[in-house]
Amino acid sequence: MAEEKLTENTEAPLPEQPPVGPKTALVTIIGRPSAGKSTFLNTAAGEPVSIVSAMPQTTRNAIRGIVNTSYGQLVFIDTPGYHDSEKKMNLRMRNIVADQLENSDLILYIIDSTRTCAEEERLIAELLEKHQEKLVIALNKIDESRAIKDHARKFIKSNLPDVPENRILEMSAKEDRGINEVLKALYDMAEEGPHLYSEEFYTDQEVDFRIAEVIREQAINRLEQEVPHSVYVQIADMEMRTPSKMWCRAFLCVEKESQKGIVIGKGAQMIKTIRLESMKQLRKIFDYKIDLDLQVKVDKNWRQKDNTLDRLLK
């Protein structure tokens, strides 16, 4: 990758010289469910940092992805989609978002330009009102014919009037368009400072968390209706059996006995597919093979249990 590029796309050349000193910033990403936050992070980092699904509320944790360039280091925190809900689990995820906003250097607010800015968008704007000085806004999905960019811009002007025009940008995270401009706006606002992570890192996730997220991604992209929201992954055991092979026992946990059969599938075909596709994806991430022993079990009404939520939502 050429030094003057931020990402692999070539649409927007950057200034010839980087800043005098490297810049560093902790950047929280916020937006409604399915706004494209995880897609942006994966595209910017150039690696599968955060799982992606058409299913809303896929991200449950504050997940870090790291972008290193000659301009410095941006450490992004992908947060759960912010929406209005009184369910215990969703309230926990909203608290995760609020905590990250307070602790971040900068904020990237991603708006789905194909959707009307309604009540959930207003809730986010209220949350961001006191953070406008460290805010960059990206209107995502501009490649789609349904995009209503003017509507989104009017919403921003009305609800976040202190954000200047040069920090309201357009992009398509899926098509890798406009990513450079968004990164450049963040670098312009970042302060000089030492890197938070070594340059070879693109995420700080532990091995067991990455394995669990890959399994969950493969599961939710194959299951229907409410089952995906009722699934979490428990890593029970991990063991390096040779320098090139790890063995891992994991459980796909569901809330009800009736969901267990759906996840297993007819002739155990569903659980077999999830296992094999997970192993295939994990081979792309790790430089050793991971042999999965994947089973299904019931953790009744786990989304209402504080001890389970404490363990899963961080």
Side-chain angles (χ1 to χ4, degrees):
M1 183 169 66
E3 190 178 36
E4 71 272 19
K5 306 285 179 58
L6 286 176
T7 67
E8 292 292 340
N9 68 3
T10 58
E11 63 179 63
L14 297 171
E16 293 183 2
Q17 295 297 325
V20 174
K23 291 189 168 187
T24 300
L26 192 63
V27 186
T28 293
I29 308 173
I30 188 172
R32 287 165 65 183
S34 300
K37 300 181 298 299
S38 297
T39 302
F40 166 82
L41 181 56
N42 291 344
T43 302
E47 299 286 350
V49 176
S50 193
I51 67 176
V52 176
S53 172
M55 182 71 62
Q57 287 298 103
T58 300
T59 302
R60 291 174 177 170
N61 303 79
I63 293 174
R64 295 193 177 198
I66 304 161
V67 175
N68 293 295
T69 75
S70 59
Y71 282 75
Q73 184 176 86
L74 297 176
V75 180
F76 288 96
I77 305 172
D78 185 16
T79 60
Y82 197 88
H83 73 298
D84 191 19
S85 172
E86 295 302 315
K87 292 181 179 180
K88 179 177 287 191
M89 182 173 173
N90 291 328
L91 289 172
R92 289 286 194 99
M93 290 193 290
R94 285 177 60 173
N95 288 336
I96 289 173
V97 176
D99 289 343
Q100 293 300 328
L101 293 178
E102 293 294 335
N103 297 324
S104 63
D105 301 313
L106 302 172
I107 299 168
L108 175 60
Y109 175 22
I110 296 180
I111 296 178
D112 181 350
S113 67
T114 67
R115 291 190 286 178
T116 302
C117 295
E119 182 59 29
E120 286 184 341
E121 218 71 72
R122 282 190 286 272
L123 286 172
I124 296 175
E126 289 177 7
L127 199 62
L128 295 175
E129 190 174 1
K130 63 180 180 179
H131 299 296
Q132 294 183 67
E133 76 285 349
K134 61 179 184 178
L135 184 62
V136 170
I137 301 176
L139 308 184
N140 193 26
K141 306 184 185 180
I142 59 163
D143 57 303
E144 298 191 22
S145 59
R146 299 178 293 127
I148 43 177
K149 296 179 290 184
D150 290 344
H151 167 78
R153 287 182 177 276
K154 288 179 181 177
F155 170 83
I156 295 166
K157 286 298 179 186
S158 175
N159 292 272
L160 297 166
D162 294 337
V163 180
E165 282 289 336
N166 65 345
R167 287 199 264 127
I168 304 172
L169 305 162
E170 298 178 4
M171 72 174 186
S172 169
K174 182 180 179 181
E175 298 296 328
D176 196 358
R177 290 171 49 192
I179 302 293
N180 273 355
E181 287 81 358
V182 173
L183 294 177
K184 181 61 168 56
L186 292 164
Y187 274 119
D188 286 344
M189 297 171 66
E191 296 184 359
E192 291 185 15
H195 289 178
L196 300 175
Y197 296 92
S198 298
E199 290 192 9
E200 66 267 21
F201 285 93
Y202 64 86
T203 184
D204 66 347
Q205 298 168 26
E206 299 289 343
V207 172
D208 57 345
F209 181 81
R210 297 218 75 191
I211 293 173
E213 286 290 271
V214 167
I215 295 170
R216 189 165 68 89
E217 180 179 39
Q218 295 304 316
I220 65 178
N221 284 329
R222 287 171 172 80
L223 300 170
E224 298 178 353
Q225 298 175 351
E226 279 301 305
V227 177
H229 293 298
S230 302
V231 169
Y232 77 86
V233 179
Q234 177 188 9
I235 304 299
D237 299 288
M238 295 192 306
E239 179 185 339
M240 289 298 300
R241 293 192 166 172
T242 72
S244 61
K245 181 182 286 188
M246 172 186 280
W247 171 83
C248 175
R249 176 185 290 124
F251 291 94
L252 271 168
C253 303
V254 294
E255 285 190 308
K256 303 174 184 177
E257 193 68 39
S258 60
Q259 295 168 339
K260 187 174 179 180
I262 297 172
V263 177
I264 294 173
K266 186 176 181 180
Q269 190 58 47
M270 178 63 77
I271 191 66
K272 179 182 178 181
T273 299
I274 293 170
R275 172 180 170 271
L276 293 176
E277 289 302 315
S278 296
M279 290 172 60
K280 187 185 300 183
Q281 292 304 313
L282 290 167
R283 195 69 184 92
K284 297 177 183 178
I285 296 172
F286 297 100
D287 57 5
Y288 47 84
K289 182 180 178 181
I290 297 178
D291 186 14
L292 281 179
D293 174 2
L294 186 59
Q295 302 175 37
V296 184
K297 71 177 183 180
V298 177
D299 184 355
K300 191 174 180 181
N301 298 325
W302 65 264
R303 284 184 289 182
Q304 303 303 318
K305 296 178 179 178
D306 287 328
N307 60 340
T308 303
L309 295 178
D310 288 342
R311 188 173 72 251
L312 294 176
L313 305 180
K314 300 176 182 178

